[in-house]
Amino acid sequence: RKMFGVRGSRDRRKDHLHPHLSREAIVLDVETTRYGRTYAGRRVKITHVEKDPSTGGAVGYVVRMEDGGDELPFEPEEIHIVEAWD
C-alpha cells in the first residue's frame, strides 16, 4: 500500500517502514553547522530517521551519499526529500 503526502507514520509497529526510509533526498544549498556547504546539492539516500517519540515526526536523518561513503546526520531543514516512489 503506497501513501502519498504522508509526513509521519502513525503506525507504531517496529516492522513498519517509515515513509522516508530508503528514499532519496538532496542536500539543500544551506550553510550547515556541521559541514558548511560541503554537501550542498548532493544526492543522498536516507538510511535512518530519528523520530520524536511523542509525535512520531522526523527530527533528524542519517544519510549516505549517492556515491557511497560514510553515513552522516542531517537536520530535516538541511535536506529536501525527493517525493517520488520507485
Side-chain angles (χ1 to χ4, degrees), residues 46-85:
I46 297 168
T47 58
H48 182 72
V49 180
E50 294 289 331
K51 288 192 270 185
D52 179 320
S54 58
T55 65
V59 293
Y61 297 94
V62 177
V63 304
R64 177 174 278 131
M65 296 300 135
E66 198 175 50
D67 53 9
D70 295 332
E71 292 189 339
L72 301 167
F74 278 91
E75 302 295 320
E77 61 272 11
E78 294 170 350
I79 65 171
H80 170 74
I81 293 164
V82 178
E83 295 291 341
W85 291 87

Side-chain angles (χ1 to χ4, degrees), residues 21-58:
L21 269 183
S22 70
R23 293 173 72 179
E24 291 185 352
I26 296 172
V27 179
L28 295 174
D29 189 9
V30 294
E31 189 80 35
T32 66
T33 39
R34 274 174 285 217
Y35 321 115
R37 291 189 181 279
T38 305
Y39 299 109
R42 297 277 301 273
R43 293 184 70 86
V44 297
K45 197 75 146 169
I46 297 168
T47 58
H48 182 72
V49 180
E50 294 289 331
K51 288 192 270 185
D52 179 320
S54 58
T55 65

